[in-house]
Amino acid sequence: MIARASATHPRWRRVLAGVVSGVTLLVGSVACTPEGEPPEETNGVDELPPEEIEEAARTAAAEATSVRLSGTVLADGASYRLDMRLGPEGAVGEVSAEGATFELLRVGDEMYMRADAAFWETEGIPEELDSDPTQKLDGKYVLVVTDDPAYAELSGFTEKDGLLEALLALEGTRAVGEQNDVDGVRTIQLQAAEGAGGIMDVALDGTPYPLRLRRGGGAGDLKLTDWGEDFTLHPPADDEIVDYGDALLPRE
């Protein structure tokens, strides 16, 4: 039997709530055209009204097979860092919260979690276990079974469409802002409530993907990169998985 992780600890609820409630993306520098030279052609979204720019960005994001999501999320006075690659068959990446870091790997419906001994020590491993689980769990994967309440909460970090739908939300009247540059790609800003409700940088070169997002309230900074790039997911080897049954984490 492979390890089952029960993670109804409040950390999961706080982290996931932070991701859903608000994310801020860094704003790039303004792109300039050398004086006397005609501006380069764009993909045309800069000529659209703001509502259609948003629709084009959301459509591009939904149709992409994969994306890398990285940056910080601020919620309830705490800071969380995400670095996840999301694809059609699963996801892989890292989440840091409250000074602790753990890795997530989902391959199809199978969800694995891996962390170091320091992380497991903060989770209150039951004292009745005969051996020291923090040492055996250090760097090992634990399977989070689908009927565990933790599965639904942790899988929120690994579901591309659901996570993007939450993160790309803007609040307030839309308006077209300035042109920027995000990692060498020209963008047009889509502002909500004059920026107070969020700012999305949408690519002007190629497909109009959202490349950076800033949501209102200073809730964090995120970048969206590697749109449509293939990556491979493999379940861990058997010797990388530790079995602790139902006793791994206490239920509340």
Side-chain angles (χ1 to χ4, degrees), residues 19-235:
V19 173
V20 174
S21 65
V23 182
T24 305
L25 298 188
L26 300 172
V27 178
S29 59
V30 177
C32 299
T33 301
E35 186 175 355
E37 295 185 12
E40 297 181 12
E41 292 186 1
T42 70
N43 54 22
V45 294
D46 52 325
E47 300 177 1
L48 300 176
E51 293 78 12
E52 293 184 20
I53 295 176
E54 182 176 10
E55 181 180 358
R58 286 181 171 275
T59 298
E63 293 179 350
T65 57
S66 62
V67 65
R68 181 175 182 177
L69 176 68
S70 60
T72 58
V73 178
L74 306 178
D76 298 329
S79 177
Y80 311 100
R81 176 164 289 277
L82 309 177
D83 190 355
M84 298 294 301
R85 296 200 70 173
L86 311 166
E89 301 300 325
V92 61
E94 187 175 272
V95 179
S96 298
E98 301 179 13
T101 299
F102 60 92
E103 298 176 32
L104 287 178
L105 169 64
R106 182 173 64 81
V107 184
D109 291 332
E110 293 186 341
M111 173 86 66
Y112 302 91
M113 178 179 173
R114 181 167 68 173
D116 59 17
F119 174 88
W120 293 115
E121 287 171 355
T122 67
E123 287 303 307
I125 301 296
E127 295 180 357
E128 60 268 20
L129 290 178
D130 295 334
S131 59
D132 180 3
T134 62
Q135 297 303 316
K136 292 187 177 182
L137 291 173
D138 185 10
K140 297 291 186 178
Y141 285 97
V142 175
L143 177 67
V144 184
V145 295
T146 55
D147 60 353
D148 191 309
Y151 186 94
E153 298 181 355
L154 292 174
S155 65
F157 294 111
T158 69
E159 299 287 349
K160 168 185 168 285
D161 292 339
L163 188 54
L164 288 180
E165 183 177 353
L167 292 175
L168 296 179
L170 300 173
E171 298 183 3
T173 302
R174 275 52 163 176
V176 178
E178 299 177 342
Q179 289 194 17
N180 285 336
D181 180 286
V182 177
D183 295 333
V185 179
R186 293 176 300 166
T187 65
I188 187 71
Q189 283 189 347
L190 175 65
Q191 299 182 350
E194 299 182 343
I199 300 176
M200 182 190 300
D201 276 88
V202 180
L204 287 176
D205 300 322
T207 306
Y209 293 122
L211 301 183
R212 190 156 37 192
L213 179 70
R214 180 175 64 202
R215 298 190 64 184
D221 295 284
L222 286 172
K223 280 187 176 181
L224 301 96
T225 60
D226 299 344
W227 286 103
E229 294 189 8
D230 294 333
F231 63 97
T232 304
L233 294 167
H234 297 289

